[in-house]
Every structure is written in C-alpha cells, then in structure tokens.
Amino acid sequence: MTLSEDQIKGEIAKRWDYSSQRYDNYHGHGIKSDEEVAFWKALFERILPGERLNVLDVGCGTGEISLLLAGMGHTVTGIDLSEKMLDRAASKAKAMAQAGRGVDARFMIGDAETLPFENSSFDAVVARHVLWTLPNPQNAVTGWTRALKEGGTLAIVDSLWNDGSLETRLRRKIGDFLILVVERNDISKDRYSPELNSTLPHSRGISADTIRAYMENAGLRGIGTENLADLIEIQKRHMPFRYKISYKYNYYAVCGTK
C-alpha cells in the first residue's frame, strides 16, 4: 500500500504519541545522569554561536534538549508533530517553574519539513534523532537553513541506528527480549511499521556523510562533525544491561553555519 503525504505524517505523529509516556525512560532519549547533562552542555557551548540565543529545537519530543538549552540561558522554541510529546514537554517545563527553575521555552505543533516561521528567525536550529524519521530530509535541512539568521548554526545529532548486520540484529533481539521480560514492555511496538519504513529514505538511521551532503546542498558552510563516542560511553555507564546490549552506535553531531 502506498501512503500519501498526509498519511505518512499522520502515522509518524501516531507512533510518537504512542511512545510519549515511556520516551524519557529509554536510555539514550531521556538524559539520565549529571554526567550526561554536563556533556551536552559542554557540546552546545562549543558548537552554538554565543549566549542567550534564540534557538529552534526541531522534533523536540518531550523537550529534553529544549529544556537543557533553555536552562543554559537560551530562548527555545520546540516543535513536534506529536501532541502528546509536546504535552510531556510542557509538563516538564511547568514542573521546573514550580521548583523555582523556570526557563524561557515554549512548545508548539509543527512539521519539521514545513516550518511555521519566517526566514532568518533563529540564531540556531538543533535537531536530535529527527532527520532519519523524515520522508523528505533534504527539504527539511533546506528549510532549517532558511530559518537561520546569517551566521547562525544548524546542529544535527543522529546516528546510523541499524546497520543491518547479523551482530546488530542479534543484539536487538536479545535486548528486546530482556526488556519484555523485565519491564513487560514490547519495545517493538514503539518502532515504525514496515509500510511507514518503506516511505523513509533513512529508516535505519543516517550517516554523518549523508547529513553533510544535505547541509552542503542547503548552502551551509564550515561543516564539521563531532564524534560522540564519549557520550555513548557515559550513557552506557548509567543503563541496565537490557539496554546496554544493543546500544552500539556511531553517534555524532554535524554542524554547519549559514
């Protein structure tokens, strides 16, 4: 069955709505330790162009990165297709405010491939674990670039999540089984359907070289890649074996300047 564009976006939103209540529990999505917080802050201090920036977090999910950036003093707008993900983000921001740690962050429904903003609106655009999920990734990167002010930075954090190798398939099966036994959670239900995967050019993840090519095509300059192997090791130190067994990725941040 061939899915229309509206059906594709509807299926994507439905999948992330389903995952929203558990998303922060998954290691590698939720930030689980002070050590990981410190790593993310140091990374963004290096790659973003200054202090008190106006930042767009594309595909913000439950707002983990949005709220971290806002806590660093930036003004952050987070957009996502999933209303339930955004509800979680707003609840977390409200809890921070009630605890006396209020931040300048807002969350709104938005399509990563068709941004609801004027050109040159943001000092930085950040996208974590988003590009691989999109049916039209080049359109997305071009739109994110248009949303940047001159001299602004686009930072994309992603990975080739599934290289298709026998080792990767075995690791996933063992990890999924252990999560099912320990948590009574069938993690396979959080994944895209075969029909949806068939519409996505990077359904198994995306390489840093491919991201660089998309950025170059969008006209960005000074493109560089940060290897996040140290972050992977930090995350693995704080996760149980049932997650650790399949957590073996080439993880990176690719950055470019408008």
Side-chain angles (χ1 to χ4, degrees):
M1 180 180 68
T2 301
L3 299 177
S4 69
E5 190 76 10
D6 287 344
Q7 287 174 320
I8 292 169
K9 296 301 173 71
E11 286 296 314
I12 290 172
K14 182 179 177 181
R15 177 259 191 258
W16 294 110
D17 278 347
Y18 177 82
S19 297
S20 61
Q21 297 306 308
R22 294 181 299 278
Y23 187 81
D24 288 339
N25 295 332
Y26 293 147
H27 293 260
H29 292 312
I31 297 175
K32 297 296 187 181
S33 67
D34 291 342
E35 189 179 12
E36 185 177 353
V37 169
F39 186 99
W40 282 113
K41 287 183 175 180
L43 173 68
F44 287 125
E45 285 171 356
R46 287 197 305 275
I47 66 179
L48 298 187
E51 300 177 351
R52 300 190 181 281
L53 304 175
N54 189 15
V55 180
L56 174 63
D57 184 8
V58 181
C60 65
T62 64
E64 285 286 90
I65 295 300
S66 299
L67 295 172
L68 182 142
L69 289 166
M72 295 172 65
H74 302 304
T75 297
V76 183
T77 300
I79 67 166
D80 203 282
L81 273 180
S82 168
E83 187 172 352
K84 290 185 178 180
M85 283 283 194
L86 294 172
D87 287 344
R88 293 283 295 164
S91 293
K92 287 155 66 174
K94 182 178 179 180
M96 289 176 67
Q98 291 172 340
R101 298 184 291 116
V103 292
D104 192 353
R106 63 173 179 143
F107 300 99
M108 58 186 287
I109 288 284
D111 186 341
E113 295 182 350
T114 312
L115 296 181
F117 307 107
E118 298 289 334
N119 292 346
S120 304
S121 294
F122 297 96
D123 301 303
V125 176
V126 174
R128 183 183 72 143
H129 308 172
V130 176
L131 198 59
W132 75 269
T133 71
L134 302 179
N136 304 291
Q138 181 65 74
N139 291 352
V141 174
T142 299
W144 302 347
T145 300
R146 291 195 190 108
L148 285 171
K149 298 175 183 177
E150 288 298 322
T153 295
L154 172 59
I156 297 175
V157 177
D158 226 309
S159 175
L160 184 61
W161 305 108
N162 181 0
D163 62 9
S165 68
L166 177 61
E167 178 187 351
T168 296
R169 294 199 302 272
L170 288 173
R171 284 176 175 272
R172 280 193 155 202
K173 285 183 179 298
I174 294 169
D176 288 359
F177 176 74
L178 292 174
I179 290 169
L180 179 62
V181 169
V182 175
E183 301 179 14
R184 298 294 189 267
N185 176 19
D186 184 356
I187 198 171
S188 68
K189 292 182 178 179
D190 286 309
R191 298 188 181 127
Y192 285 169
S193 67
E195 293 80 13
L196 184 54
N197 275 332
S198 70
T199 70
L200 304 179
H202 305 297
S203 62
R204 290 182 172 180
I206 187 169
S207 71
D209 287 343
T210 301
I211 293 175
R212 290 177 64 95
Y214 287 142
M215 286 185 167
E216 289 169 359
N217 291 339
L220 292 169
R221 53 190 172 80
I223 301 168
T225 301
E226 290 236 7
N227 188 304
L228 303 183
D230 289 345
L231 177 57
I232 289 285
E233 292 306 310
I234 290 169
Q235 291 171 334
K236 288 174 72 172
R237 282 200 290 272
H238 297 276
M239 66 176 64
F241 179 76
R242 61 185 178 276
Y243 287 95
K244 191 180 299 185
I245 187 65
S246 61
Y247 205 71
K248 184 180 180 182
Y249 308 115
N250 290 320
Y251 196 39
Y252 38 76
V254 186
C255 306
T257 302
K258 184 172 179 180

